[in-house]
Amino acid sequence: MSGMGGEHSHSGSHDHSHDHSHGHDHSHEVDFSNLNVSFVIAISANLAFTLLEAFYGVMTSSVSLLGDAGHNLSDVLGLLLAWGAAYLTTQKSSQLYSYGFRRTTILAAIINAVVLVFVAGFIAYESIQKFLSPTPMHEITVMVVASIGIFVNAGTAMLFMRGSRSDLNTRGAFLHLAYDALISAGVVVAAIVVLYTGWQWVDPLIGLLIVAVILAGTWGLLRDSVNLILDAVPQGIDIDAVRQFLGRIDGVNEVHDLHIWAMSTQENSLTAHLVMPENTLWEDSENYARISADLRARFNIHHVTLQAEKDLMCANIHCD
């Protein structure tokens, strides 16, 4: 990645030398202007629908509709959180925050996952209460309002579908919206069944089924975001394959102190010590650039720092 970042060399006072070189390639970053528009549309549409749904939920005494309104409100808050985190990733680093604010996207993802769990708990509580004390619902009104919700949530979820495949923060926003579309569909089904059968218990039953779906789907987001906050190797990166790749570099006898972690929900970093008796890695700047490009293309690693060591004995005792 020479040409995009600096390279420097350092020789210690020991009988071996350490050479450091690293570069940063930011061409992978999300176009924030497009993401910005998506967030504005999604937040505005969901806030308007949340107010509409809450009003008719109270008017019709529908626990499904009220639960959906509560989930929609959590969507608005979750979207604001994800939007703020995405914005902070565009801010420059400072003396205090030398890595910038990239990790806020991981925090946003884990908070969104926790919020989804709490929303599921709220819906479960309301559903159980409805089982114990059934109340009639205005089926037609509920069907109309919930149908609007399907289009609002599904439409805004589509704005984040592509980004959700590679960015955990965007995935959190997408899941909020996608599950709301599912909940709205469940509310419509409940209203139809109650309309034609009079079975009031169907409404809370659908609510509990929705809770199960939310919890099942949120588990992956919660697990991945917790792993990232603990600096685990990001999902999809095989550390053994990376070690083998580095070990096949000409002149490398051993690879140790290999660390791979996520700097954000979009960027991954790597540091490693390479035992190279001839220490030829930095003689050709294009060689390092090629290694960095291969690590990005093969393993989705964007920030690379490699340290070359001539002395195997010093490598074994971790000299500096």
Side-chain angles (χ1 to χ4, degrees):
M1 288 187 285
S2 60
M4 292 185 183
E7 295 186 7
H8 59 279
S9 178
H10 166 68
S11 296
S13 59
H14 309 288
D15 59 352
H16 66 288
S17 66
H18 287 177
D19 288 322
H20 308 272
S21 181
H22 65 276
H24 302 290
D25 182 354
H26 296 290
S27 61
H28 61 280
E29 292 179 353
V30 171
D31 184 347
F32 184 72
S33 60
N34 290 337
L35 194 60
N36 192 44
V37 172
S38 297
F39 275 117
V40 169
I41 294 173
I43 290 171
S44 300
N46 276 273
L47 182 59
F49 178 68
T50 297
L51 296 175
L52 175 70
E53 195 169 34
F55 174 78
Y56 281 104
V58 173
M59 295 294 292
T60 60
S61 299
S62 169
V63 66
S64 297
L65 212 52
L66 284 173
D68 195 14
H71 192 201
N72 265 302
L73 180 60
S74 75
D75 277 349
V76 174
L77 298 176
L79 287 169
L80 286 170
L81 182 65
W83 188 17
Y87 170 75
L88 287 175
T89 63
T90 67
Q91 302 305 295
K92 295 181 179 180
S93 59
S94 65
Q95 288 185 338
L96 180 60
Y97 298 100
S98 60
Y99 278 113
F101 300 93
R102 293 179 177 90
R103 292 180 74 86
T104 55
T105 56
I106 302 176
L107 287 174
I110 195 170
I111 291 173
N112 268 329
V114 171
V115 168
L116 278 169
V117 172
F118 276 105
V119 167
F122 169 76
I123 296 174
Y125 174 79
E126 291 296 323
S127 297
I128 293 172
Q129 290 295 107
K130 188 71 177 289
F131 264 125
L132 298 175
S133 304
T135 55
M137 62 187 295
H138 297 75
E139 294 84 2
I140 300 299
T141 303
V142 170
M143 278 190 286
V144 172
V145 175
S147 295
I148 296 172
I150 295 175
F151 290 102
V152 170
N153 290 300
T156 51
M158 294 294 289
L159 297 173
F160 301 98
M161 178 177 287
R162 177 178 295 182
S164 69
R165 297 168 186 165
S166 57
D167 179 16
L168 205 61
N169 182 43
T170 305
R171 182 171 146 202
F174 169 76
L175 285 179
H176 265 289
L177 297 167
Y179 284 137
D180 257 359
L182 174 65
I183 292 173
S184 294
V187 172
V188 172
V189 170
I192 292 174
V193 173
V194 173
L195 177 64
Y196 286 100
T197 65
W199 297 342
Q200 298 294 333
W201 53 266
V202 171
D203 184 31
L205 176 63
I206 293 294
L208 291 177
L209 291 176
I210 289 170
V211 166
V213 173
I214 292 175
L215 291 178
T218 303
W219 167 247
L221 176 64
L222 184 61
R223 178 200 60 214
D224 293 343
S225 55
V226 168
N227 283 342
L228 291 188
I229 208 73
L230 294 176
D231 285 335
V233 177
Q235 188 176 22
I237 297 179
D238 185 342
I239 192 170
D240 290 329
V242 174
R243 190 185 304 277
Q244 292 173 9
F245 169 81
L246 294 174
R248 288 195 295 267
I249 296 174
D250 289 341
V252 173
N253 287 356
E254 182 180 319
V255 178
H256 66 98
D257 286 337
L258 172 61
H259 303 283
I260 305 173
W261 73 99
M263 292 185 67
S264 73
T265 54
Q266 301 168 359
E267 302 171 76
N268 301 314
S269 296
L270 173 149
T271 62
H273 291 203
L274 309 179
V275 178
M276 305 181 70
E278 300 301 323
N279 200 4
T280 59
L281 185 60
W282 319 128
E283 291 180 358
D284 181 1
S285 61
E286 292 183 1
N287 187 30
Y288 186 82
R290 184 166 53 253
I291 293 170
S292 299
D294 285 345
L295 284 169
R296 178 182 171 185
R298 298 186 187 186
F299 305 105
N300 195 34
I301 297 173
H302 311 91
H303 301 265
V304 177
T305 301
L306 299 175
Q307 177 170 301
E309 300 173 337
K310 289 185 177 181
D311 196 335
L312 179 59
M313 180 182 298
C314 208
N316 290 333
I317 62 175
H318 302 287
C319 297
D320 291 324

